[in-house]
Every structure is written in C-alpha cells, then in structure tokens.
Amino acid sequence: MIVRDSLILRVTTRALFPLTLIFSVFLLLRGHNEPGGGFVGGLTAAAAFALIMTSDGLATARRVLRVDPLAFVGAGLAVALLSGIPPLFDGGAFLTGHWLEAKIPVIGHLGTPFVFDVGVYLAVLGVVVAIVFELAEERS
C-alpha cells in the first residue's frame, strides 16, 4: 500500500532514510568480526528504499536508487566471486580467507571475508529491492 498523502510519513522518511543506510553500513563493517554482515546489512539498506517507495512512490524510489537493482546483484556476485581468487595465488583453496597485515580503523584487519561480505551486501540489496519494486509495479 502506497501512502503518498501522509505528511508525517514523508517527513519521517527523509530523516530515517540516511540513518537506515548508515546503520546498514555499520552492520556490514561490524559483521566480519561480530554478528551482522553483508546479508543483514543488505536487508537493512533495502528496507530504506522500501520506506522511500512507501512514502513517496515507486518513481521517486527508483530515482533515489539511480541504478537498476539488478546491477547491484551482478556487481555483488562479481565482488563475491573475486574475493575467492587471491588465495589461489598462494596455493590455497578458493574462498580461503586472507588478511592484510595492517589494521584499518573501524574495520579492523581487512581481508577477503570482508570483500565477500560486501558482495553479499550488494547482491541482497539488489535482489530485495528488485522484488519490492516489481511487486509495487504489479499493484499499480
């Protein structure tokens, strides 16, 4: 159900949208060391776009997203696939975790599991938003 005539929902959405996206990135960054990660972060980001769609309509949500949701799916799958390649150069198995020696603030030790999580984040965001947008188009 699209509720475009609710001023309260539109104003609240404008405040919650960026906060929800920031929280989704927090979940992504936290996830490779603690509970969270790419899947729940991607779901949270998709919820932000579903909120925009609910308050302002499908056209506005597509304009805010700027890219076809399926492009996120392709990019996410490519990133996840590429995260498995570096171990092959060391004689390891595909998708074996490799980490950099340096510790990065907020993220910690950056490694291939984090890159894989970014791929999952993008893929989940794309799939869920594509489904939500498609369902909204069917109702129109």
mmCIF file with all atom_site columns, all heavy atoms in Angstrom, residues 4-5 10 37 39 60 77 80 88 98 101 111 113 121 125 140:
data_model
loop_
_atom_site.group_PDB
_atom_site.id
_atom_site.type_symbol
_atom_site.label_atom_id
_atom_site.label_alt_id
_atom_site.label_comp_id
_atom_site.label_asym_id
_atom_site.label_entity_id
_atom_site.label_seq_id
_atom_site.pdbx_PDB_ins_code
_atom_site.Cartn_x
_atom_site.Cartn_y
_atom_site.Cartn_z
_atom_site.occupancy
_atom_site.B_iso_or_equiv
_atom_site.pdbx_formal_charge
_atom_site.auth_seq_id
_atom_site.auth_comp_id
_atom_site.auth_asym_id
_atom_site.auth_atom_id
_atom_site.pdbx_PDB_model_num
ATOM 1   N N   . ARG A 1 4   ? 0.987  8.070   -0.132  1.00 0.00 ? 4   ARG A N   1
ATOM 2   C CA  . ARG A 1 4   ? 1.681  9.279   -0.590  1.00 0.00 ? 4   ARG A CA  1
ATOM 3   C C   . ARG A 1 4   ? 1.134  10.549  0.033   1.00 0.00 ? 4   ARG A C   1
ATOM 4   O O   . ARG A 1 4   ? 1.764  11.576  -0.043  1.00 0.00 ? 4   ARG A O   1
ATOM 5   C CB  . ARG A 1 4   ? 1.589  9.388   -2.094  1.00 0.00 ? 4   ARG A CB  1
ATOM 6   C CG  . ARG A 1 4   ? 2.428  8.362   -2.762  1.00 0.00 ? 4   ARG A CG  1
ATOM 7   C CD  . ARG A 1 4   ? 2.472  8.607   -4.236  1.00 0.00 ? 4   ARG A CD  1
ATOM 8   N NE  . ARG A 1 4   ? 2.695  7.316   -4.840  1.00 0.00 ? 4   ARG A NE  1
ATOM 9   C CZ  . ARG A 1 4   ? 2.037  6.844   -5.850  1.00 0.00 ? 4   ARG A CZ  1
ATOM 10  N NH1 . ARG A 1 4   ? 1.120  7.557   -6.430  1.00 0.00 ? 4   ARG A NH1 1
ATOM 11  N NH2 . ARG A 1 4   ? 2.289  5.654   -6.320  1.00 0.00 ? 4   ARG A NH2 1
ATOM 12  N N   . ASP A 1 5   ? -0.032 10.511  0.617   1.00 0.00 ? 5   ASP A N   1
ATOM 13  C CA  . ASP A 1 5   ? -0.630 11.733  1.129   1.00 0.00 ? 5   ASP A CA  1
ATOM 14  C C   . ASP A 1 5   ? -0.344 11.962  2.604   1.00 0.00 ? 5   ASP A C   1
ATOM 15  O O   . ASP A 1 5   ? -0.894 12.852  3.205   1.00 0.00 ? 5   ASP A O   1
ATOM 16  C CB  . ASP A 1 5   ? -2.138 11.734  0.871   1.00 0.00 ? 5   ASP A CB  1
ATOM 17  C CG  . ASP A 1 5   ? -2.836 10.538  1.510   1.00 0.00 ? 5   ASP A CG  1
ATOM 18  O OD1 . ASP A 1 5   ? -2.137 9.595   1.912   1.00 0.00 ? 5   ASP A OD1 1
ATOM 19  O OD2 . ASP A 1 5   ? -4.070 10.549  1.577   1.00 0.00 ? 5   ASP A OD2 1
ATOM 20  N N   . ARG A 1 10  ? 6.188  11.121  5.065   1.00 0.00 ? 10  ARG A N   1
ATOM 21  C CA  . ARG A 1 10  ? 7.210  11.694  4.181   1.00 0.00 ? 10  ARG A CA  1
ATOM 22  C C   . ARG A 1 10  ? 8.321  12.379  4.970   1.00 0.00 ? 10  ARG A C   1
ATOM 23  O O   . ARG A 1 10  ? 9.501  12.220  4.656   1.00 0.00 ? 10  ARG A O   1
ATOM 24  C CB  . ARG A 1 10  ? 6.571  12.668  3.192   1.00 0.00 ? 10  ARG A CB  1
ATOM 25  C CG  . ARG A 1 10  ? 5.829  11.980  2.072   1.00 0.00 ? 10  ARG A CG  1
ATOM 26  C CD  . ARG A 1 10  ? 5.520  12.932  0.932   1.00 0.00 ? 10  ARG A CD  1
ATOM 27  N NE  . ARG A 1 10  ? 4.972  14.200  1.361   1.00 0.00 ? 10  ARG A NE  1
ATOM 28  C CZ  . ARG A 1 10  ? 3.667  14.510  1.402   1.00 0.00 ? 10  ARG A CZ  1
ATOM 29  N NH1 . ARG A 1 10  ? 2.783  13.604  1.038   1.00 0.00 ? 10  ARG A NH1 1
ATOM 30  N NH2 . ARG A 1 10  ? 3.267  15.688  1.782   1.00 0.00 ? 10  ARG A NH2 1
ATOM 31  N N   . GLY A 1 37  ? 26.782 -8.345  9.200   1.00 0.00 ? 37  GLY A N   1
ATOM 32  C CA  . GLY A 1 37  ? 27.453 -8.673  7.951   1.00 0.00 ? 37  GLY A CA  1
ATOM 33  C C   . GLY A 1 37  ? 26.679 -8.257  6.738   1.00 0.00 ? 37  GLY A C   1
ATOM 34  O O   . GLY A 1 37  ? 25.750 -7.449  6.798   1.00 0.00 ? 37  GLY A O   1
ATOM 35  N N   . PHE A 1 39  ? 24.612 -9.836  4.675   1.00 0.00 ? 39  PHE A N   1
ATOM 36  C CA  . PHE A 1 39  ? 23.209 -10.195 4.463   1.00 0.00 ? 39  PHE A CA  1
ATOM 37  C C   . PHE A 1 39  ? 22.278 -9.258  5.216   1.00 0.00 ? 39  PHE A C   1
ATOM 38  O O   . PHE A 1 39  ? 21.378 -8.651  4.632   1.00 0.00 ? 39  PHE A O   1
ATOM 39  C CB  . PHE A 1 39  ? 22.964 -11.651 4.881   1.00 0.00 ? 39  PHE A CB  1
ATOM 40  C CG  . PHE A 1 39  ? 21.586 -12.118 4.551   1.00 0.00 ? 39  PHE A CG  1
ATOM 41  C CD1 . PHE A 1 39  ? 21.277 -12.513 3.258   1.00 0.00 ? 39  PHE A CD1 1
ATOM 42  C CD2 . PHE A 1 39  ? 20.599 -12.148 5.504   1.00 0.00 ? 39  PHE A CD2 1
ATOM 43  C CE1 . PHE A 1 39  ? 19.994 -12.928 2.923   1.00 0.00 ? 39  PHE A CE1 1
ATOM 44  C CE2 . PHE A 1 39  ? 19.323 -12.564 5.191   1.00 0.00 ? 39  PHE A CE2 1
ATOM 45  C CZ  . PHE A 1 39  ? 19.012 -12.955 3.901   1.00 0.00 ? 39  PHE A CZ  1
ATOM 46  N N   . THR A 1 60  ? 9.902  7.811   -7.356  1.00 0.00 ? 60  THR A N   1
ATOM 47  C CA  . THR A 1 60  ? 10.868 8.507   -6.500  1.00 0.00 ? 60  THR A CA  1
ATOM 48  C C   . THR A 1 60  ? 11.907 7.530   -5.966  1.00 0.00 ? 60  THR A C   1
ATOM 49  O O   . THR A 1 60  ? 13.101 7.845   -5.923  1.00 0.00 ? 60  THR A O   1
ATOM 50  C CB  . THR A 1 60  ? 10.147 9.203   -5.334  1.00 0.00 ? 60  THR A CB  1
ATOM 51  O OG1 . THR A 1 60  ? 9.191  10.109  -5.869  1.00 0.00 ? 60  THR A OG1 1
ATOM 52  C CG2 . THR A 1 60  ? 11.121 9.943   -4.442  1.00 0.00 ? 60  THR A CG2 1
ATOM 53  N N   . LEU A 1 77  ? 27.614 -10.243 -6.998  1.00 0.00 ? 77  LEU A N   1
ATOM 54  C CA  . LEU A 1 77  ? 28.103 -11.581 -7.339  1.00 0.00 ? 77  LEU A CA  1
ATOM 55  C C   . LEU A 1 77  ? 29.542 -11.529 -7.849  1.00 0.00 ? 77  LEU A C   1
ATOM 56  O O   . LEU A 1 77  ? 30.358 -12.398 -7.526  1.00 0.00 ? 77  LEU A O   1
ATOM 57  C CB  . LEU A 1 77  ? 27.184 -12.236 -8.364  1.00 0.00 ? 77  LEU A CB  1
ATOM 58  C CG  . LEU A 1 77  ? 25.785 -12.602 -7.866  1.00 0.00 ? 77  LEU A CG  1
ATOM 59  C CD1 . LEU A 1 77  ? 24.931 -13.109 -9.011  1.00 0.00 ? 77  LEU A CD1 1
ATOM 60  C CD2 . LEU A 1 77  ? 25.855 -13.611 -6.741  1.00 0.00 ? 77  LEU A CD2 1
ATOM 61  N N   . ALA A 1 80  ? 31.844 -10.908 -4.804  1.00 0.00 ? 80  ALA A N   1
ATOM 62  C CA  . ALA A 1 80  ? 31.953 -12.133 -4.004  1.00 0.00 ? 80  ALA A CA  1
ATOM 63  C C   . ALA A 1 80  ? 32.834 -13.166 -4.703  1.00 0.00 ? 80  ALA A C   1
ATOM 64  O O   . ALA A 1 80  ? 33.658 -13.830 -4.068  1.00 0.00 ? 80  ALA A O   1
ATOM 65  C CB  . ALA A 1 80  ? 30.562 -12.704 -3.723  1.00 0.00 ? 80  ALA A CB  1
ATOM 66  N N   . LEU A 1 88  ? 44.127 -18.361 -4.349  1.00 0.00 ? 88  LEU A N   1
ATOM 67  C CA  . LEU A 1 88  ? 44.639 -19.258 -5.391  1.00 0.00 ? 88  LEU A CA  1
ATOM 68  C C   . LEU A 1 88  ? 46.086 -18.940 -5.754  1.00 0.00 ? 88  LEU A C   1
ATOM 69  O O   . LEU A 1 88  ? 46.835 -19.828 -6.158  1.00 0.00 ? 88  LEU A O   1
ATOM 70  C CB  . LEU A 1 88  ? 43.754 -19.179 -6.637  1.00 0.00 ? 88  LEU A CB  1
ATOM 71  C CG  . LEU A 1 88  ? 42.296 -19.607 -6.459  1.00 0.00 ? 88  LEU A CG  1
ATOM 72  C CD1 . LEU A 1 88  ? 41.513 -19.386 -7.745  1.00 0.00 ? 88  LEU A CD1 1
ATOM 73  C CD2 . LEU A 1 88  ? 42.205 -21.047 -6.003  1.00 0.00 ? 88  LEU A CD2 1
ATOM 74  N N   . HIS A 1 98  ? 42.066 -14.534 3.494   1.00 0.00 ? 98  HIS A N   1
ATOM 75  C CA  . HIS A 1 98  ? 43.379 -13.895 3.525   1.00 0.00 ? 98  HIS A CA  1
ATOM 76  C C   . HIS A 1 98  ? 43.208 -12.495 4.093   1.00 0.00 ? 98  HIS A C   1
ATOM 77  O O   . HIS A 1 98  ? 42.263 -11.802 3.735   1.00 0.00 ? 98  HIS A O   1
ATOM 78  C CB  . HIS A 1 98  ? 43.976 -13.795 2.114   1.00 0.00 ? 98  HIS A CB  1
ATOM 79  C CG  . HIS A 1 98  ? 44.739 -14.988 1.695   1.00 0.00 ? 98  HIS A CG  1
ATOM 80  N ND1 . HIS A 1 98  ? 44.252 -16.255 1.787   1.00 0.00 ? 98  HIS A ND1 1
ATOM 81  C CD2 . HIS A 1 98  ? 45.980 -15.105 1.174   1.00 0.00 ? 98  HIS A CD2 1
ATOM 82  C CE1 . HIS A 1 98  ? 45.149 -17.106 1.337   1.00 0.00 ? 98  HIS A CE1 1
ATOM 83  N NE2 . HIS A 1 98  ? 46.205 -16.432 0.952   1.00 0.00 ? 98  HIS A NE2 1
ATOM 84  N N   . GLU A 1 101 ? 48.151 -7.351  6.686   1.00 0.00 ? 101 GLU A N   1
ATOM 85  C CA  . GLU A 1 101 ? 48.845 -7.221  7.974   1.00 0.00 ? 101 GLU A CA  1
ATOM 86  C C   . GLU A 1 101 ? 48.397 -5.970  8.722   1.00 0.00 ? 101 GLU A C   1
ATOM 87  O O   . GLU A 1 101 ? 48.272 -5.983  9.933   1.00 0.00 ? 101 GLU A O   1
ATOM 88  C CB  . GLU A 1 101 ? 50.363 -7.181  7.744   1.00 0.00 ? 101 GLU A CB  1
ATOM 89  C CG  . GLU A 1 101 ? 50.931 -8.461  7.186   1.00 0.00 ? 101 GLU A CG  1
ATOM 90  C CD  . GLU A 1 101 ? 50.803 -9.624  8.155   1.00 0.00 ? 101 GLU A CD  1
ATOM 91  O OE1 . GLU A 1 101 ? 50.925 -9.410  9.380   1.00 0.00 ? 101 GLU A OE1 1
ATOM 92  O OE2 . GLU A 1 101 ? 50.563 -10.745 7.704   1.00 0.00 ? 101 GLU A OE2 1
ATOM 93  N N   . GLY A 1 111 ? 40.307 -8.164  4.965   1.00 0.00 ? 111 GLY A N   1
ATOM 94  C CA  . GLY A 1 111 ? 40.645 -9.405  4.280   1.00 0.00 ? 111 GLY A CA  1
ATOM 95  C C   . GLY A 1 111 ? 39.570 -9.808  3.307   1.00 0.00 ? 111 GLY A C   1
ATOM 96  O O   . GLY A 1 111 ? 38.568 -9.113  3.105   1.00 0.00 ? 111 GLY A O   1
ATOM 97  N N   . PRO A 1 113 ? 37.320 -12.132 3.574   1.00 0.00 ? 113 PRO A N   1
ATOM 98  C CA  . PRO A 1 113 ? 35.953 -12.312 4.096   1.00 0.00 ? 113 PRO A CA  1
ATOM 99  C C   . PRO A 1 113 ? 35.144 -11.014 4.086   1.00 0.00 ? 113 PRO A C   1
ATOM 100 O O   . PRO A 1 113 ? 33.943 -11.034 3.824   1.00 0.00 ? 113 PRO A O   1
ATOM 101 C CB  . PRO A 1 113 ? 36.178 -12.815 5.524   1.00 0.00 ? 113 PRO A CB  1
ATOM 102 C CG  . PRO A 1 113 ? 37.495 -13.504 5.465   1.00 0.00 ? 113 PRO A CG  1
ATOM 103 C CD  . PRO A 1 113 ? 38.310 -12.678 4.522   1.00 0.00 ? 113 PRO A CD  1
ATOM 104 N N   . TYR A 1 121 ? 26.323 -8.062  0.524   1.00 0.00 ? 121 TYR A N   1
ATOM 105 C CA  . TYR A 1 121 ? 25.552 -6.846  0.798   1.00 0.00 ? 121 TYR A CA  1
ATOM 106 C C   . TYR A 1 121 ? 24.929 -6.313  -0.490  1.00 0.00 ? 121 TYR A C   1
ATOM 107 O O   . TYR A 1 121 ? 23.730 -6.044  -0.547  1.00 0.00 ? 121 TYR A O   1
ATOM 108 C CB  . TYR A 1 121 ? 26.487 -5.805  1.417   1.00 0.00 ? 121 TYR A CB  1
ATOM 109 C CG  . TYR A 1 121 ? 25.876 -4.452  1.707   1.00 0.00 ? 121 TYR A CG  1
ATOM 110 C CD1 . TYR A 1 121 ? 25.348 -4.164  2.956   1.00 0.00 ? 121 TYR A CD1 1
ATOM 111 C CD2 . TYR A 1 121 ? 25.851 -3.448  0.749   1.00 0.00 ? 121 TYR A CD2 1
ATOM 112 C CE1 . TYR A 1 121 ? 24.810 -2.917  3.239   1.00 0.00 ? 121 TYR A CE1 1
ATOM 113 C CE2 . TYR A 1 121 ? 25.316 -2.206  1.013   1.00 0.00 ? 121 TYR A CE2 1
ATOM 114 C CZ  . TYR A 1 121 ? 24.795 -1.942  2.261   1.00 0.00 ? 121 TYR A CZ  1
ATOM 115 O OH  . TYR A 1 121 ? 24.263 -0.714  2.542   1.00 0.00 ? 121 TYR A OH  1
ATOM 116 N N   . LEU A 1 125 ? 20.927 -6.460  -1.386  1.00 0.00 ? 125 LEU A N   1
ATOM 117 C CA  . LEU A 1 125 ? 20.279 -5.173  -1.647  1.00 0.00 ? 125 LEU A CA  1
ATOM 118 C C   . LEU A 1 125 ? 19.580 -5.198  -3.005  1.00 0.00 ? 125 LEU A C   1
ATOM 119 O O   . LEU A 1 125 ? 18.405 -4.838  -3.124  1.00 0.00 ? 125 LEU A O   1
ATOM 120 C CB  . LEU A 1 125 ? 21.313 -4.040  -1.594  1.00 0.00 ? 125 LEU A CB  1
ATOM 121 C CG  . LEU A 1 125 ? 20.855 -2.668  -2.090  1.00 0.00 ? 125 LEU A CG  1
ATOM 122 C CD1 . LEU A 1 125 ? 19.735 -2.123  -1.219  1.00 0.00 ? 125 LEU A CD1 1
ATOM 123 C CD2 . LEU A 1 125 ? 22.022 -1.701  -2.132  1.00 0.00 ? 125 LEU A CD2 1
ATOM 124 N N   . SER A 1 140 ? 0.215  -1.398  -9.209  1.00 0.00 ? 140 SER A N   1
ATOM 125 C CA  . SER A 1 140 ? -0.162 -0.133  -9.854  1.00 0.00 ? 140 SER A CA  1
ATOM 126 C C   . SER A 1 140 ? -1.113 -0.356  -11.005 1.00 0.00 ? 140 SER A C   1
ATOM 127 O O   . SER A 1 140 ? -1.138 -1.250  -11.701 1.00 0.00 ? 140 SER A O   1
ATOM 128 C CB  . SER A 1 140 ? 1.070  0.583   -10.370 1.00 0.00 ? 140 SER A CB  1
ATOM 129 O OG  . SER A 1 140 ? 1.950  0.817   -9.313  1.00 0.00 ? 140 SER A OG  1
#
